[in-house]
Each structure stands twice: as structure tokens, then as C-alpha cells.
Amino acid sequence: MTDTSAATAPITQDVLTIPRKLPEGPVNLVGLTREKLRDALAEIGVPEKQLKMRVNQLWAWIYERGVRDFAEMTNLAKTFRAELAAHFAIELPEVVSKQVSADGTRKYLVKIAGGHEVETVYIPESDRGTLCVSSQVGCTLTCSFCHTGTQKLVRNLTPGEIIGQVMLVRDDLGEWPEPGKPKNEARLLSNIVLMGMGEPLYNFENVRDAMKIAMDPEGISLSRRRITLSTSGVVPEIARCAEEIGCQLAVSFHATTDEVRDRLVPINKKWNIETLLDALRAYPKASNSERITFEYVMLKDVNDSDEDARRLVKLISGIPAKINLIPFNEWPGAPYERSDWERIEKFADIVYKAGYSSPIRTPRGEDIMAACGQLKSATERARRERVAL
Ligand code: SAH
Ligand code: SF4
């Protein structure tokens, strides 16, 4: 917690040159871009010529070291630390509960301002640790196989709430380097996927700002190659994603005809398969990324035939791609079933023989309802289950 007792500390002239009206309550620094952090410091009177240095110093404490208390920022003058504490806070969303699956997957229920809740899932693997981050509370879209899609959109997450998920999981993993010690090279949290609750491209600016913080080499410093944004197909924002974020792109494809995709991913009625594919074709070059991940949920007798597999490879021909087959994760009341294992393997085989990598995503954290598409805030879930009784 931030020490606010310094609020009454005397204001020193060298720091506060011009008296200004400040917003009520401390401003949370977590989630501010470098430019906004600079503005916030200018606002409390940090002299112009010091701004760059101050931003760098704060950035390193917050995002490289994970420090939350201004008093620990030992390379800053005591009076300046007090000044910072009087105006600012360094706060993360609150972890309400944590569940650990038998396979090591960790699911965090996180409370954000207004009392809303989102879920964040950490998935450890032998060569990496992936954090599945939420970008919205609920979702405006209504994909018929997705549990989040049954929850109305409550609001967009702020950049601080998005990057805050990364930071709170690093807290839990104990992954902040201690001052003076070398940075931990083998990262426990090495990858981010924007595949939690919400449609990230419908919260573009906030997702972008948060990912810029994640990628900043002076802080959390994750390579843009280790960040994957998954979209249901918000076509007008795809080019922007390439230009302004430059991360890897995954697309929830899920069907090979407009008729089926309209039913599974209703945004297809707005931007159909052809329009989507055009936008995807341009992505790798624009973002200088290698290939696009096509996510394909395997739904029994809906989209899993040999014909579907053949149509799929034909549709994506010419696009550098990997096809990620996701066995459907069931949730209470879901209107679909998971395709049989042999069916999934046969489908994967056709795709593979056509020259595409076609991994079948192993469901993780199923025992704690942490798998893809099962996320929904616990209170919403409880409400729904009460209604179902
Ligand atoms: N809104 C974004 C990102 C979140 S969903 C999107 O739709 O891409 C992350 C992935 O999980 C998407 O590919 C989504 O289609 C898939 N998914 C949703 N519900 C699922 C379920 N019940 N079983 C398997 N995958 C699911
Ligand atoms: Fe929203 Fe993605 Fe779920 Fe569709 S699959 S309802 S876009 S979270």
C-alpha cells in the first residue's frame, strides 16, 4: 500500500515550482504511458529539464523492480519521494482468489474499480509460462460457444488494469529482481496472450498502451514476439494493431463457410470470411511478424468434417499460418459438444499434410474452469447457476 502520510509533508520549492490544481485523490501511476507519466510529473511541478530522467527512474522502479512504495526509491531525494507519495499511488487490482489446478495452471479472480471482476490465467509449460490476460469485463460479442459471450459487457479495462494483471502475477510468482541482483533471465512469465475475457480490438487504445508497457525494454521487457493478441475478427482494427502494437496476431476463425461462422462468431455478419482474410493477408508484412495463428474450436458435427479441413487450407492459402485446434471446452449449459479425439486428429492430419503446423491445444486447468472460453466472473457464474437451479 502506498504511504499517504507524506501528504502533509512540506512542499519544496525545487520540486513544486508552480502551484496547480491537482485531481482529487492520488493518481495511480500504473498504466500511464511514458508520455502520460511525464505529463503527470510536469503537473506536480517537476522541472522540464528533469522530466526525462524522472520518468526513467520511476519506470525502472515500477516496471523493472516491481516496487510499490515511493519510500523504497532510494535514488530519489527524500523530499521528492514524499512529494510523489503525496500525489501519486502505485496500485494494482486486488486478487480476490487464486485457484491452482492439478496441472499447475493458476487462475486469479481479480477485482477492479467499481467492484467488477475479471479472470487471469497463468499456464506454466516446460519452456515458457504464458499469461492469459483479460481486456474487458464481459464481452459485447456473443460467440455461441463461449462462456464469456453469455456475460454482457460491463466495461473496458484501463491500461493499468491490463498491465496490472501481469504485475500481480509476477508478484505471485516472486519474479521481480531484487535490487543489485542480476535480472532473472529464465522467465516464469515469458509470454502474454490476450485471450482472456473480452475482445481486445474493441478496447484498442487501452490494450495498446498496456502492451507498450509490457514491451518497453527498460521495464517488463517482453519481446513483441512473445505477445499474441486474439481477435474474433474486428477487421478495421487489424491494420492498426500491426502498426501501433506490432505483436503476434491470432484470429478466432472457427468455421469455413459464412453460414456456419455467422452462427458461431456473429461478428462475421459484419465482416465476413473474405473481408477478414484480406485484412489478415496484409498483417504479417505490416507488423513484421512471421505468421498468423488461426484458432479453430472443434465442435462435434458443426465444423469438424474432412471437408471443413480441406476448405480451411484452401481459404488460407498464401497466408503464413499456423492452425491451432482447440478441443471445445464445455461449460454448464453450453449448446455444443467437443469433437471426438479421432476426429480432431484426422482434421489435424489433413491440415498438416497441406503444409501447415496444426497443433491440438491441450486443455489446461479444466478442473478449475480456467480453459479457453470458460472465463466468466465468479459472481456472474454464481448468479447464472442460481437461476439454473
Ligand atoms: N475475444 C477474443 C479473445 C478471447 S477468446 C477472441 O474471440 O479471439 C480466446 C479464444 O478462446 C478464442 O479463439 C475463442 O474463440 C476461444 N474460445 C472461446 N470459448 C471457447 C470454448 N468454450 N472452448 C474452446 N475455445 C473457446
Ligand atoms: Fe467475446 Fe472472444 Fe468470447 Fe467471442 S470468443 S464472445 S469475441 S470473448
Side-chain angles (χ1 to χ4, degrees), residues 14-30:
D14 62 331
V15 174
L16 196 70
T17 46
I18 316 158
R20 288 169 209 243
K21 196 171 174 290
L22 290 157
E24 270 174 49
V27 172
N28 188 8
L29 297 184
V30 176

Side-chain angles (χ1 to χ4, degrees), residues 145-146 195-196 198-199 230-232 252 254 295 297 328-329 372-373:
F145 54 88
C146 173
M195 292 187 188
E199 168 49 58
S230 173
T231 180
S232 57
S252 295
H254 305 323
E295 296 164 282
V297 65
F328 174 58
N329 295 310
C372 247

Side-chain angles (χ1 to χ4, degrees), residues 281-298:
R281 257 183 217 108
Y283 192 87
K285 197 159 168 250
S287 63
N288 186 24
S289 59
E290 289 125 36
R291 50 185 186 171
I292 294 189
T293 302
F294 283 75
E295 296 164 282
Y296 198 97
V297 65
M298 297 299 292

Side-chain angles (χ1 to χ4, degrees), residues 148-196:
T148 311
T150 63
Q151 178 180 344
K152 282 208 182 73
L153 176 77
V154 182
R155 73 166 167 85
N156 282 334
L157 298 196
T158 63
E161 290 160 351
I162 299 170
I163 198 66
Q165 295 170 57
V166 177
M167 295 168 75
L168 65 86
V169 173
R170 290 194 95 187
D171 281 359
D172 190 46
L173 296 169
E175 196 168 41
W176 299 102
E178 279 173 40
K181 294 223 175 115
K183 279 195 235 173
N184 184 1
E185 288 306 331
R187 297 269 195 108
L188 294 171
L189 196 171
S190 62
N191 293 58
I192 294 176
V193 292
L194 284 147
M195 292 187 188

Side-chain angles (χ1 to χ4, degrees), residues 263-319:
R263 268 194 288 138
L264 300 182
V265 190
I267 202 178
N268 195 66
K269 293 183 199 152
K270 204 161 183 181
W271 296 291
N272 66 12
I273 291 182
E274 200 189 326
T275 320
L276 175 60
L277 288 172
D278 285 344
L280 296 177
R281 257 183 217 108
Y283 192 87
K285 197 159 168 250
S287 63
N288 186 24
S289 59
E290 289 125 36
R291 50 185 186 171
I292 294 189
T293 302
F294 283 75
E295 296 164 282
Y296 198 97
V297 65
M298 297 299 292
L299 304 171
K300 191 175 193 165
D301 299 331
V302 175
N303 63 355
D304 61 352
S305 68
D306 288 357
E307 212 189 335
D308 277 307
R310 285 191 284 267
R311 249 196 316 259
L312 177 62
V313 292
K314 220 166 162 187
L315 281 170
I316 64 168
S317 99
I319 304 178

Side-chain angles (χ1 to χ4, degrees), residues 15 30 38 47 93 99-100 114 121 130 139 142 146 156 173 188 200 202 211 217 256 284 295-296 310 332 341 379:
V15 174
V30 176
R38 189 188 153 95
Q99 285 172 279
V100 183
V121 178
T130 303
C139 188
T142 51
C146 173
N156 282 334
L173 296 169
L188 294 171
Y202 273 149
M211 291 307 107
T256 60
E295 296 164 282
Y296 198 97
R310 285 191 284 267
W341 196 250
T379 42

